[in-house]
Amino acid sequence: MSNMMKALVKSKPEVGLWMEHVPVPEVGPNDVLIRVKKSAICGTDVHIWNWDQWAQKTIPVPMVVGHEFCGEIAEVGSAVSKFRAGDLVGVGCLVDSDHTCPNCRDGLEQFCPNMVLTYGSPDRHKTAPVTYGGYSDSIVVDESFVLRIPTNRGLAGTAPLHCAGITTYSPMRHWGVTKGKKVGVVGLGGLGHMGVKFAHAFGAHTVVFTTSPNKKEDALRLGADEIVVSRNADEMQKHAGSFDFILDCVAAEHDINAYINLLARDGNIPLVGAPEKPLSVAAFSLIFGRRSLSGSPIGGIAETQEMLDFCGAQNITADVEVIPIQKINEAYERMARSDVKYRFSIDMASLKSE
Ligand SMILES: [Zn+2]
Ligand SMILES: [Zn+2]
């Protein structure tokens, strides 16, 4: 019988999350055991809580979600070389891959056909049918998928960097967002607010598109140079043909053509938000101007570490509201109304009193 630990479990489709005891996976030679300190809430977790169509297709129950978290290493396997007990570390959406495919060899584990997601993938530890994530007392992860946190300040705001952070950082690095570029960010939520911070930190002229004019103060505080109310056609028209890059963070239905028309020649819009319904695209908006519509998922492990180091040097964290785990179901309800600035981060110490 293995050791047990506390975790927040989705055990049935029709109920929310409940504290239960689940087995602690064995620490293999290359594994570290992390005591989770702060665990942030990603939109993906809410899909599972809601048990929406996507969750039904992909996720078995019981399930422990959470793929943006930080903690302290409590135990290391016999062959671990990078980490020691006491190190502050983080984990994102991936906990393993095949290490051998062309994507892995290029350091792009996010495209590995055999990637192991932090929750919901078959678990090689075999203590549970699938991997369990970070809404938990502890987690066991292969050291090559563990990230070093450069500073111990702001663990709550560092946790979201492991998904929301890298999801916005990676496309900006890939498509060369730098000083002298004009960059748009559509949607000021969990992803968008990180996009604004990174675009600003890279030195780009940063424009936030939002449907609510009352987000102006906040957008400027986060690093935007300008804000455009996307419902105002005149305001949009002033920016026609001028953007090098527009990061689309919107998960709701929206008119993508309005943004394609704002791109300069060879400009690009990567989607990082995922609307449920297919977007309708006017071909001529892409053809004239040789513009691109693209997409991008998280990042590889090396790039995620690079992002964390960049955030350490630039003093960047996510803006978070810290909650005890007892408020999780309320937090999910608030997220459904976009009532959070801009990420919830769970103080996992509160799991002890459950
Ligand atoms: Zn996520
Ligand atoms: Zn691979």
Side-chain angles (χ1 to χ4, degrees), residues 97-101 104 112-113:
S97 72
D98 59 21
H99 302 256
T100 54
C101 76
C104 287
C112 177

Side-chain angles (χ1 to χ4, degrees), residues 155-215:
L155 279 189
T158 299
L161 300 177
H162 296 86
C163 174
I166 188 62
T167 297
T168 50
Y169 179 92
S170 180
M172 289 197 192
R173 291 280 288 146
H174 181 73
W175 280 290
V177 168
T178 52
K179 199 170 164 52
K181 303 278 181 172
K182 186 172 174 183
V183 169
V185 176
V186 188
L188 199 57
L191 289 173
H193 96 288
M194 288 311 308
V196 175
K197 290 187 185 208
F198 286 132
H200 175 73
F202 292 143
H205 182 84
T206 307
V207 181
V208 168
F209 296 95
T210 176
T211 49
S212 31
N214 57 15
K215 286 197 174 164

Side-chain angles (χ1 to χ4, degrees), residues 32-249:
V32 301
L33 185 141
I34 303 164
R35 294 255 183 264
V36 182
K37 285 176 174 286
K38 296 288 188 294
S39 204
I41 305 179
C42 175
T44 310
D45 310 342
V46 183
H47 286 295
I48 290 162
W49 182 74
N50 284 334
W51 206 244
D52 64 14
Q53 265 192 346
W54 171 82
Q56 289 166 29
K57 273 190 218 139
T58 52
I59 301 291
V61 284
M63 170 57 51
V64 178
V65 297
H67 63 204
E68 298 185 336
F69 53 93
C70 308
E72 190 178 306
I73 292 189
E75 201 184 322
V76 298
S78 55
V80 166
S81 59
K82 276 167 63 190
F83 297 102
R84 287 190 301 191
D87 285 353
L88 282 174
V89 294
V91 174
C93 302
L94 302 177
V95 288
D96 211 348
S97 72
D98 59 21
H99 302 256
T100 54
C101 76
N103 294 310
C104 287
R105 286 205 302 270
D106 287 342
L108 300 170
E109 297 87 356
Q110 73 271 37
F111 303 114
C112 177
N114 301 305
M115 66 168 86
V116 180
L117 295 171
T118 303
Y119 59 80
S121 282
D123 188 2
R124 68 178 166 84
H125 294 97
K126 307 282 184 215
T127 33
V130 291
T131 51
Y132 286 167
Y135 288 20
S136 176
D137 173 75
S138 307
I139 189 164
V140 173
V141 183
D142 185 300
E143 68 164 332
S144 53
F145 283 75
V146 175
L147 299 146
R148 195 172 288 283
I149 290 172
T151 163
N152 68 354
R153 271 180 307 120
L155 279 189
T158 299
L161 300 177
H162 296 86
C163 174
I166 188 62
T167 297
T168 50
Y169 179 92
S170 180
M172 289 197 192
R173 291 280 288 146
H174 181 73
W175 280 290
V177 168
T178 52
K179 199 170 164 52
K181 303 278 181 172
K182 186 172 174 183
V183 169
V185 176
V186 188
L188 199 57
L191 289 173
H193 96 288
M194 288 311 308
V196 175
K197 290 187 185 208
F198 286 132
H200 175 73
F202 292 143
H205 182 84
T206 307
V207 181
V208 168
F209 296 95
T210 176
T211 49
S212 31
N214 57 15
K215 286 197 174 164
K216 180 167 185 177
E217 291 296 302
D218 237 22
L220 296 176
R221 177 184 62 79
L222 293 166
D225 297 289
E226 282 181 72
I227 173 164
V228 173
V229 178
S230 53
R231 288 195 179 124
N232 184 326
D234 291 343
E235 251 187 82
M236 292 286 276
Q237 188 53 36
K238 276 187 211 149
H239 292 270
S242 68
F243 280 87
D244 298 292
F245 180 94
I246 299 176
L247 191 70
D248 187 341
C249 305

